[in-house]
């Protein structure tokens, strides 16, 4: 039966209303996701930016034999409880390294205790009323203020919040990622080249491809269990080391690199291969001299994204023990170390209020690095990508 004009118009109006609803629902979902992202960054910035400042107080420091034996004697009694105990413990070493300091007394900016730092930032503190009055008097005299927190970027972990920093975790992260890159990149690229360019299309190859795709989707903690069973229990790789962490993350990154490399190889037109075969190149020469150079931008993009994903992982590294208390920078890949995500996880469990801002500050640093890595991947793809 033929429909009348009114019926057709009613159907079109219903379709247009459905399209409009879908459009507004999509825009609402996008706006809601953007709102959550803004709230997250606002919360992290509000909590994390104070971590980049640290309270310092200007006091008279006396370098004497008595203060070398008893560091508390180096400062006056009225400000003794306001100075960081961790800083006072470094005085004997400073006097041993600089003998000319003995017998001198001078005004210096020194690291304040964590409670003083929290008080100057307007947070809850355990300082008593007399100590608060002293801090207020020092602040009015310009002898107590918040300065840029170089300690946060130059020192390792500490149980004293004013001395806790990310340096040892950052270096552990770098060493772990170098191991991950050294293992996963060549193996992943060679595996992808074989599967895409050389392997016959049979049942075994199909099973391997299916398993690679499945490995890219399994929970990361399973890779930690695999690393614990193989690298630590079977091969005896040192626990908590960047070596075992890097090998574990390499297992997790391999599927990502393989899939990205295969996609990049498929993007190279077959005309390139046919032309190379036409001038007498062998299959290996075609892949090495023509296909791989053209696919390299896609391979690099996928590898960087895979490393960025590995850098943010915590669960597999917890399984292999990379949550140890590491105050110093590891000397080699076999020494005990920690990484930024694990350091943030450790700080999040500390009861001291000062570690809340340390946690948020560590998250900001980690987010900055991850955003930079992903931005680098996008820039490389835009700069070197060829459209056929």
């Amino acid at each position: 039966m033929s429909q009348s004009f009114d019926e057709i118009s009613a159907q079109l109006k219903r379709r247009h209303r459905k399209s409009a609803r879908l459009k507004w629902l999509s825009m609402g979902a996008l706006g809601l996701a953007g709102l959550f992202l803004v709230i997250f960054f606002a919360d992290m910035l509000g909590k994390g930016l104070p971590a980049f400042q640290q309270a310092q107080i200007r006091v008279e420091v006396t370098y004497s034999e008595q203060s070398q034996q008893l560091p508390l004697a180096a400062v006056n009694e009225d400000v003794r409880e306001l100075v960081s105990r961790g800083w006072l413990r470094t005085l004997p070493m400073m006097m041993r390294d600089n003998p000319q300091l003995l017998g001198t007394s001078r005004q210096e900016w020194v690291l304040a205790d964590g409670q003083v730092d929290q008080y100057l930032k307007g947070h809850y503190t355990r300082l008593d009323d007399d100590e608060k009055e002293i801090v207020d008097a020092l602040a009015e005299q310009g002898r107590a203020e918040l300065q840029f927190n170089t300690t946060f970027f130059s020192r390792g972990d500490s149980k004293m919040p004013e001395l806790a920093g990310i340096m040892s975790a950052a270096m552990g992260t770098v060493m772990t990622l170098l191991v991950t890159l050294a293992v996963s990149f060549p193996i992943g690229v060679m595996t992808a080249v074989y599967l895409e360019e050389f392997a016959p299309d049979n049942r075994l190859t199909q099973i391997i491809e299916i398993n690679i795709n499945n490995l890219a989707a399994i929970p990361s903690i399973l890779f930690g269990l695999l690393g614990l069973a193989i690298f630590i229990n079977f091969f005896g790789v040192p626990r908590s080391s960047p070596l075992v962490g890097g090998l574990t993350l390499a297992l997790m990154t391999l599927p990502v690199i393989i899939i990205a490399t295969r996609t990049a190889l498929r993007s190279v037109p077959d005309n390139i291969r046919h032309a190379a075969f036409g001038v007498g190149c062998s299959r290996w020469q075609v892949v090495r001299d023509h296909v791989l150079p053209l696919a390299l931008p896609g391979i690099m993009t996928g590898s960087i994204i895979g490393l960025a994903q590995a850098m943010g992982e915590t669960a597999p590294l917890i399984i292999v023990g990379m949550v140890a208390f590491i105050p110093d920078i590891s000397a080699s890949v076999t020494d005990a170390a920690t990484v930024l995500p694990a350091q943030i996880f450790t700080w999040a469990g500390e009861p001291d209020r000062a570690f809340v801002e340390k946690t948020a500050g560590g998250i900001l640093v980690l987010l900055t690095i991850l955003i930079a890595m992903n931005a680098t991947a996008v820039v490389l793809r835009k700069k070197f990508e060829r459209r056929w």
Side-chain angles (χ1 to χ4, degrees), residues 5-218:
F5 177 78
D6 293 337
E7 292 175 338
I8 295 175
S9 298
Q11 289 181 357
L12 286 175
K13 289 179 180 178
R14 286 196 297 270
R15 290 169 58 185
H16 290 160
R17 285 196 297 268
K18 290 180 180 179
S19 298
R21 282 198 298 268
L22 180 61
K23 175 183 176 181
W24 287 108
L25 285 173
S26 301
M27 292 177 63
L30 185 62
L32 190 61
L35 178 63
F36 287 150
L37 189 62
V38 169
I39 293 174
F40 169 74
F41 275 107
D43 183 60
M44 286 298 102
L45 288 172
K47 292 180 179 178
L49 288 179
F52 303 139
Q53 290 185 310
Q54 178 64 45
Q56 304 268 342
I57 58 177
R58 187 172 178 84
V59 298
E60 184 174 354
V61 182
T62 302
Y63 297 96
S64 63
E65 293 184 359
Q66 182 185 8
S67 59
Q68 193 169 18
Q69 300 297 324
L70 183 62
L72 286 174
V75 295
N76 294 332
E77 186 176 356
D78 58 338
V79 296
R80 193 169 292 169
E81 297 297 326
L82 307 180
V83 177
S84 170
R85 295 298 180 93
W87 182 85
L88 288 172
R89 291 172 185 171
T90 64
L91 283 179
M93 185 181 300
M94 290 172 56
M95 285 185 274
R96 284 197 300 268
D97 295 339
N98 303 279
Q100 69 274 12
L101 291 175
L102 281 172
T104 62
S105 179
R106 56 187 184 182
Q107 292 279 331
E108 290 186 9
W109 285 100
V110 302
L111 191 65
D113 184 76
Q115 297 301 316
V116 177
D117 178 70
Q118 292 299 295
Y119 178 68
L120 290 178
K121 292 175 180 176
H123 300 314
Y124 169 78
T125 180
R126 294 193 299 270
L127 295 177
D128 58 35
D129 293 337
D130 293 337
E131 291 171 335
K132 290 178 181 179
E133 290 179 3
I134 295 174
V135 174
D136 291 336
L138 291 174
E140 289 178 2
Q141 299 168 13
R143 295 172 54 197
E145 61 183 31
L146 295 173
Q147 300 179 6
F148 181 71
N149 190 4
T150 57
T151 303
F152 185 72
F153 298 97
S154 61
R155 295 180 65 96
D157 195 13
S158 174
K159 295 301 181 183
M160 300 179 183
E162 68 271 16
L163 292 177
I166 62 172
M167 175 57 76
S168 61
M171 295 306 297
T173 301
V174 170
M175 288 190 288
T176 301
L177 286 182
L178 287 176
V179 174
T180 301
L181 179 64
V183 174
S184 62
F185 184 76
I187 295 177
V189 172
M190 288 188 292
T191 301
V193 168
Y194 174 76
L195 290 175
E196 195 64 31
E197 302 291 338
F198 296 97
D201 187 12
N202 53 32
R203 185 174 295 275
L204 177 61
T205 304
Q206 294 173 0
I207 292 175
I208 292 174
E209 292 175 353
I210 291 173
N211 280 279
I212 289 173
N213 292 328
N214 290 337
L215 284 174
I218 67 173

Side-chain angles (χ1 to χ4, degrees), residues 257-269:
I257 294 179
I258 293 173
I259 293 172
T261 302
R262 294 192 67 189
T263 302
L265 292 172
R266 288 195 194 115
S267 68
V268 179

